[in-house]
Amino acid sequence: MEEKSPATMERIQQAALEEFSEKGFLGASLRQIVKNAGVTTGAFYGYFSSKEALFASLVEPHAAALMGRFMEAQTSFAELPEEEQPKHMGEASGDCVDWMVDYICQHREPVKLLLCRAEGTSYQHFVHNMVEIEVEYTLKYMDVLRRLGKDIPDLSSSLCHIIASGMFNGLFEIVVHDMPREQARQYMAQFRSFYTAGWLKLMGQ
């Protein structure tokens, strides 16, 4: 078997990044990617088993990094003693959002593939999955507040889903509009203030 060349793999991935960025996963042509990379179709299959495997090679490291940091923030907060959670509410999420803004700005092109060009792949529900996790942990935190004696109104999971969707779509506008890093950080700080005030109002705090 011919030994794989890192330079050839890099050419394939760069050609794929350009093709997927322009046409999305569904519209991208594997034949065009192979042609632009300067390899044969047979050689391509020595590196990747399919077009989706090629797409995954570009976005999976970034999907794992973003989801991993997000889950770390959620679980580290939920593992705090219940009586300590209210005074730390917002700290972990704020640090996580700052990290995500920086990460997005450092890896714009593959993150844009993940968020905007993944229809037809297993990554097309990436943002939806984040929203679902956010809703789950939000409802858990409301239960914590009730156990601590707070008068928290019943908020449906559907309403929480709508709010969380707006939050994440706002965050990922950084990618959609290629926002400069400092502007992105400023906007997200203001965006978080807006959402925090809204949540406090809904919770009667």
Side-chain angles (χ1 to χ4, degrees):
M1 181 180 291
E2 184 180 342
E3 186 176 344
K4 291 183 180 180
S5 162
T8 301
M9 178 176 285
E10 188 174 325
R11 287 205 315 275
I12 294 171
Q13 289 180 313
Q14 183 57 41
L17 180 62
E18 294 169 5
E19 180 77 0
F20 289 136
S21 295
E22 180 183 350
K23 301 174 183 175
F25 174 78
L26 291 175
S29 163
L30 184 56
R31 180 179 298 176
Q32 191 63 46
I33 291 170
V34 168
K35 179 182 177 182
N36 291 348
V39 299
T40 65
T41 302
F44 167 83
Y45 284 112
Y47 291 87
F48 301 101
S49 61
S50 63
K51 185 171 78 167
E52 182 158 4
L54 174 56
F55 186 89
S57 78
L58 295 171
V59 304
E60 174 57 30
H62 308 289
L66 290 166
M67 185 62 82
R69 184 67 181 82
F70 174 66
M71 287 303 305
E72 180 186 341
Q74 296 284 2
T75 56
S76 62
F77 177 79
E79 288 168 359
L80 288 172
E82 290 191 351
E83 62 275 11
E84 293 184 18
Q85 289 186 23
K87 67 181 179 183
H88 292 289
M89 201 276 285
E91 289 179 7
S93 63
D95 290 344
C96 179
V97 168
D98 287 344
W99 182 91
M100 291 176 81
V101 168
D102 287 343
Y103 189 91
I104 288 167
C105 291
Q106 290 165 11
H107 306 279
R108 289 181 187 275
E109 289 185 333
V111 172
K112 185 177 282 190
L113 288 188
L114 171 65
L115 300 176
C116 307
R117 298 287 187 264
E119 185 180 357
T121 76
S122 60
Y123 298 94
Q124 68 182 21
H125 300 301
F126 180 78
V127 176
H128 174 80
N129 293 340
M130 275 193 160
V131 169
E132 289 293 294
I133 293 165
E134 177 73 17
V135 170
E136 176 188 349
Y137 279 88
T138 297
L139 294 174
K140 285 181 179 179
Y141 178 58
M142 289 181 187
D143 287 339
V144 167
L145 292 176
R146 292 186 184 103
R147 287 195 292 273
L148 293 173
K150 304 286 186 181
D151 185 17
I152 303 298
D154 287 327
L155 300 178
S156 71
S157 60
S158 297
L159 174 61
C160 292
H161 191 281
I162 291 168
I163 295 170
S165 293
M167 184 181 70
F168 280 104
N169 284 311
L171 170 62
F172 294 131
E173 285 285 293
I174 295 167
V175 177
V176 175
H177 296 294
D178 296 315
M179 199 176 292
R181 177 180 170 181
E182 289 310 312
Q183 182 184 355
R185 293 196 73 161
Q186 178 186 350
Y187 280 7
M188 285 313 302
Q190 294 169 327
F191 194 63
R192 285 189 62 250
S193 295
F194 174 84
Y195 265 87
T196 299
W199 273 119
L200 290 173
K201 177 72 174 177
L202 283 174
M203 292 184 185
Q205 301 301 297

